[in-house]
């Protein structure tokens, strides 16, 4: 049993696979381009499985004429109240949603995956972000979060679904991802977390490790075509490791990619960093 678990870990979670994924998929981008890069550009309502529409009706059964901020907070709060989380799933979006609602797993990236689809249904522009460390750290597994365009504020707002957190400065202004990390580099005492789910504790120490550590570097995840990845994951998930499935899509030139607006990814993912970290 131990050998089996070790074998599964090697093919799913080994740091070398994490490192090589970034080497293949990363590029540096301009800060000026980031606002125009979001999930809805490559995913339409037709790309979202029917189950999401059924659950969406349940989420919004008692709410009409909601603002973008209210819609975002309603979706996030409902997901956190109905999903306990657990192991990573790496499933197609419909199967991931089913398993999470059955209390059978779900990590931050799984939550972000299904949140993206609910945003498309509710006409909310959404981006998926991740964080890594520089210098490269084999022990840091990263974290996934989102950014949603709030039309009544006329800006992008950073949100962490796992913690039901939005991010603000000392003037109580909601921050975008770039605003947060640029201010963090100057004076992180001016930054704060605001939890919008009543009764949920704010895990300040954990959030500081994720978002205020000077080693933390954000990247935006682009070109994730939900219907394409659902198709490949459903077809091959039973007998091919997930990284192989993703590599097949990469070979077809249809893969998602990681773009770094604040750092040079080549310095982050120098192979020597992996060998000697």
């Amino acid at each position: 049993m131990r050998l089996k678990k070790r074998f599964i870990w090697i093919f799913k979670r080994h740091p070398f696979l994490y490192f090589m994924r970034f080497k293949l998929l990363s590029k540096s981008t301009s800060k000026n381009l980031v606002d125009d890069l979001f999930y809805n550009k490559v995913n339409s309502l037709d790309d979202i499985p029917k189950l999401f529409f059924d659950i969406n009706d349940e989420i919004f059964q008692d709410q009409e004429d909601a603002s973008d901020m209210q819609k975002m907070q309603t979706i996030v709060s409902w997901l956190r109240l109905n999903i306990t989380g657990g192991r990573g799933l790496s499933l197609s979006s419909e199967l991931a949603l089913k398993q999470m609602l059955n209390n059978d797993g779900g990590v931050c990236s799984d939550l972000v995956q299904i949140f993206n689809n609910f945003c498309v249904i509710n006409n909310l522009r959404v981006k998926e972000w991740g964080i890594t460390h520089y210098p490269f750290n084999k022990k840091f597994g990263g974290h996934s979060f989102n950014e949603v365009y709030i039309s009544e504020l006329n800006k992008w707002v950073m949100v962490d679904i796992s913690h039901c957190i939005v991010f603000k400065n000392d003037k109580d202004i909601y921050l975008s991802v770039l605003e947060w990390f640029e201010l963090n580099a100057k004076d992180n005492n001016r930054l704060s977390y605001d939890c919008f789910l009543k009764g949920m504790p704010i895990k300040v120490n954990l959030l500081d490790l994720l978002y205020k550590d000077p080693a933390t570097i954000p990247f935006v995840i682009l070109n994730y075509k939900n219907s394409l990845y659902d198709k490949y994951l459903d077809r091959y998930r039973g007998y091919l490791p997930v990284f192989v499935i993703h590599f097949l899509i990469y070979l077809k030139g249809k893969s998602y990619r990681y773009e770094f607006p604040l750092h040079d990814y080549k310095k982050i993912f120098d192979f020597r960093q992996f060998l000697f970290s």
Side-chain angles (χ1 to χ4, degrees), residues 10-247:
I10 288 173
F11 278 92
K12 288 182 66 176
R13 303 292 178 186
H14 195 282
F16 181 73
L17 296 178
Y18 178 83
F19 180 86
M20 289 307 299
R21 183 176 66 197
F22 275 96
K23 286 287 288 184
L24 289 173
L25 302 178
S26 296
K27 63 175 289 188
S28 297
T29 191
S30 166
K31 290 189 296 182
N32 297 327
L33 297 177
V34 171
D35 277 357
D36 201 36
L37 306 173
F38 47 92
Y39 184 81
N40 315 60
K41 281 206 163 184
V42 294
N43 293 281
S44 67
L45 290 174
D46 293 336
D47 296 311
I48 312 301
K50 181 179 181 299
L51 177 62
F52 284 84
F53 292 88
D54 295 337
I55 297 297
N56 193 71
D57 289 341
E58 182 177 343
I59 294 173
F60 287 98
Q61 59 182 333
D62 298 320
Q63 191 173 133
E64 296 181 3
D65 301 322
S67 67
D68 285 354
M69 181 65 78
Q70 289 170 330
K71 286 192 286 187
M72 181 270 284
Q73 293 183 353
T74 297
I75 297 168
V76 174
S77 298
W78 191 95
L79 293 176
R80 293 310 296 138
L81 289 171
N82 289 275
I83 293 173
T84 57
R87 63 189 176 88
L89 298 176
S90 299
L91 296 170
S92 63
S93 59
E94 183 173 10
L95 288 179
L97 179 56
K98 284 181 180 178
Q99 288 204 198
M100 283 190 277
L101 291 177
N102 287 328
N103 296 321
D104 188 17
V107 294
C108 58
S109 57
D110 298 309
L111 277 170
V112 163
Q113 176 190 18
I114 64 170
F115 175 72
N116 290 338
N117 289 346
F118 283 114
C119 285
V120 171
I121 292 172
N122 289 284
N123 197 29
L124 291 171
R125 280 183 275 172
V126 64
K127 299 179 202 172
E128 180 176 347
W129 288 81
I131 48 176
T132 187
H133 269 185
Y134 177 75
F136 180 76
N137 184 348
K138 295 177 185 177
K139 296 181 180 180
F140 182 71
H143 185 60
S144 297
F145 58 100
N146 290 90
E147 194 174 36
V148 176
Y149 188 80
I150 305 299
S151 59
E152 60 267 24
L153 299 178
N154 193 31
K155 71 174 300 182
W156 289 93
V157 172
M158 181 178 174
V159 56
D160 187 314
I161 302 170
S162 301
H163 300 278
C164 291
I165 294 290
V166 285
F167 301 77
K168 295 182 174 181
N169 63 14
D170 55 346
K171 296 181 180 179
D172 209 33
I173 296 174
Y174 295 104
L175 298 178
S176 69
V177 173
L178 295 186
E179 287 172 336
W180 173 274
F181 283 99
E182 288 182 322
L183 185 54
N184 183 60
K186 298 174 182 177
D187 182 6
N188 65 23
N189 291 318
R190 296 174 56 197
L191 299 170
S192 64
Y193 314 107
D194 183 13
C195 182
F196 50 83
L197 180 58
K198 187 177 180 180
M200 186 171 185
I202 299 178
K203 300 179 180 178
V204 175
N205 291 338
L206 174 58
L207 291 167
D208 282 352
L209 284 173
L210 291 173
Y211 294 111
K212 288 189 176 182
D213 190 320
T216 297
I217 293 174
F219 57 92
V220 62
I221 301 169
L222 303 174
N223 201 46
Y224 188 98
K225 180 71 171 175
N226 188 74
S227 58
L228 175 67
Y229 278 88
D230 280 1
K231 175 183 175 182
Y232 273 75
L233 287 166
D234 284 339
R235 179 180 297 175
Y236 299 113
R237 183 69 172 80
Y239 52 93
L240 285 179
V242 173
F243 82 91
V244 174
I245 298 172
H246 284 221
F247 189 62

Side-chain angles (χ1 to χ4, degrees), residues 244-257:
V244 174
I245 298 172
H246 284 221
F247 189 62
L248 290 175
I249 298 173
Y250 171 80
L251 291 177
K252 285 182 171 289
K254 298 180 179 180
S255 175
Y256 59 85
R257 62 185 185 272

